[in-house]
Structures are given as C-alpha cells and as structure tokens.
Amino acid sequence: MTTRTAPAPAPSPAQERVDSADWPALTEELDAHGCALTPQLLTRRECRDLAALYDRDELFRTTVDMARHRFGSGRYRYFTHDLPEPVHALRQALYPHLLTIARGWAEKLGRPAPWPDSLDEWLERCHAAGQAKSSQILLRYQAGDWNALHRDVFGDLVFPLQVVIGLDEQGTDYTGGEFLLVEQRPRAQSRGTSTVLPQGHGLVFTTRDRPIRSTRGFSAGPVRHGVSTVRSGRRHALGLVFHDA
C-alpha cells in the first residue's frame, strides 16, 4: 500500500507578503536607526476594512482615552484575543523574522533570549507569568490628536520589536501624524526620527531599547515612540505587539 502525504497548506497572503520582504536589508536598517519600513503588507481594501472595525465594540476588551491618562490626545482600543484574521495572520507571519533579529540583539547586549521558536508558546509563557491580556491595538486620531513618547512594556516579559501599520493615506485622509522615535544616545544628545507610514506598510521598531556600538562593544540605547499632531483628517493605525499585557 502506498501512503500519500497530504500537501502542505498554501501560505496565506500575509505570509507571502511578509516572507517576500528583504529581511537582511530591514535588519541593517533596524541596526542603524532602530526602525525600518516594510513593503506593503495590507492592500488598500484590507486597510479600509480594518479601520472600519474600530466602531465594533464587541471586538475590543477596552478603550483608552489618551487625554484622560495624559498620554496625549486621541483614543485607541485593545482587541480581544479573538483577533480578526488579517491581524492574527500578520502577527504569526512576522514573528519568526523578528525573532532572528531579537536573538541577534540579545547576543550583542549579553542578555538572555527567552523567546521560543513559536509565537504561541511565547504567549503561553506570558499568560503563565500573569500577562494574559491581548495587546493588539487599533488607534484612531482626529485633527489635533497626538501620542506622547512612551514604551509598550506591560510586564517582565517583553519582546524587543513591534510593528505599526498605517491604515490611511497621509496627504489624502489626513495630514501631520508622523510616527516619532526618540533614542537616548550614550553620552550624547537624543536623536529623533520621523517617519510617514504609507498606507498598508509596516514600520518595525524597537519596543524598549536597542544595541548601540560603543568603544567597549555594545550598550543598550533607550528608545521611546509616539505620534506627532494630526493637522487635519483622521488617521488609523494597527499596532502589533508580540508580548501580552
């Protein structure tokens, strides 16, 4: 009797788009600047569909009013663990590529690299440590809104990279609203980076700090991120975080 092996399932569109990125080049950009733009990960239609989910209360576990908490101005919502398929697929597809970078950074800094090969296993460890809340974010900014510099660190278990995806088109749907990254450099003034998020493209950036070469090897450069004031229109973004809260 001949035993036939079932064919492997076809990769999802998210998987194909993520895998087709030039990850060596993205890694070089991250090493140099702490952030790097990916190719398009979501189509225009997919971006519109995701932005439209913001008004569906049943999809979210909580909503944060940034002005109330002195985080800036605007609102963002945390998804429940029942993630929309594009969000789940992108998170799964991105993790293995980011893991390679994360382990390289840990080696440079002489730190442990506790992240397993599987995102699901890593999230199980987060939950066992008391970090059991979904951390995937859908953000909405109106004219005049902004986001103060901060870090998305929710507990002791932290994945050192995250991704934000622009869901609207700057210059058409909104103006202003650039993504900001500020890096505290050793024995020097802080360095700022401003990035326009093209619709559907992702920006990979450091969650907390990154390796910076020094005369004695590498040191950790603290980094915070935020969003500049939206001058007009409405801006949506999807935040993918790889540890739970």
Side-chain angles (χ1 to χ4, degrees):
M1 176 181 286
T2 302
T3 302
R4 294 186 178 182
T5 303
S12 67
Q15 187 77 57
E16 291 180 337
R17 294 167 193 163
V18 169
D19 289 348
S20 67
D22 186 345
W23 284 100
L26 288 171
T27 301
E28 288 184 11
E29 189 79 5
L30 280 161
D31 285 342
H33 303 291
C35 61
L37 272 173
T38 73
Q40 188 172 20
L41 302 179
L42 294 170
T43 66
R44 181 181 179 87
R45 175 62 181 271
E46 289 168 337
C47 288
R48 296 298 190 202
D49 289 347
L50 279 173
L53 297 181
Y54 189 91
D55 295 315
R56 291 182 53 185
D57 293 344
E58 72 275 12
L59 298 178
F60 303 96
R61 66 173 179 84
T62 192
T63 301
V64 177
D65 184 325
M66 287 189 272
R68 178 183 175 188
H69 297 281
R70 302 180 68 85
F71 295 162
S73 176
R75 301 176 77 196
Y76 58 87
R77 313 192 81 175
Y78 286 104
F79 283 104
T80 68
H81 282 300
D82 188 15
L83 297 173
E85 178 55 30
V87 179
H88 173 78
L90 279 172
R91 202 178 183 212
Q92 291 286 338
L94 284 161
Y95 179 78
H97 296 283
L98 301 181
L99 178 62
T100 300
I101 302 169
R103 287 173 172 170
W105 281 11
E107 183 178 1
K108 289 177 180 178
L109 292 171
R111 292 176 174 174
W115 316 289
D117 292 342
S118 162
L119 175 60
D120 290 339
E121 184 180 345
W122 169 239
L123 295 178
E124 287 176 5
R125 294 186 190 181
C126 289
H127 296 177
Q131 294 176 215
K133 297 178 181 178
S134 171
S135 57
Q136 310 316 297
I137 311 168
L138 190 58
L139 305 102
R140 172 181 284 176
Y141 299 87
Q142 311 275 9
D145 289 343
W146 56 284
N147 197 345
L149 295 173
H150 67 283
R151 299 185 183 102
D152 295 313
V153 176
F154 307 118
D156 292 334
L157 299 185
V158 177
F159 192 79
L161 293 158
Q162 59 195 89
V163 180
V164 61
I165 301 175
L167 301 181
D168 295 307
E169 186 177 353
Q170 205 224 35
T172 300
D173 298 312
Y174 69 95
T175 60
E178 295 85 3
F179 183 88
L180 304 175
L181 203 70
V182 176
E183 175 183 276
Q184 183 179 329
R185 308 177 75 195
R187 297 176 297 281
Q189 297 290 336
S190 297
R191 180 176 72 172
T193 301
S194 172
T195 305
V196 172
L197 294 181
Q199 187 179 42
H201 292 245
L203 184 74
V204 183
F205 63 99
T206 177
T207 300
R208 180 171 57 187
D209 55 23
R210 72 178 188 90
I212 298 177
R213 187 178 291 278
S214 65
T215 56
R216 288 181 279 184
F218 287 92
S219 60
V223 178
R224 295 180 296 164
H225 64 276
V227 175
S228 71
T229 302
V230 173
R231 301 298 182 90
S232 65
R234 191 163 69 174
R235 176 191 186 276
H236 294 89
L238 172 67
L240 300 177
V241 181
F242 296 86
H243 50 266
D244 278 347

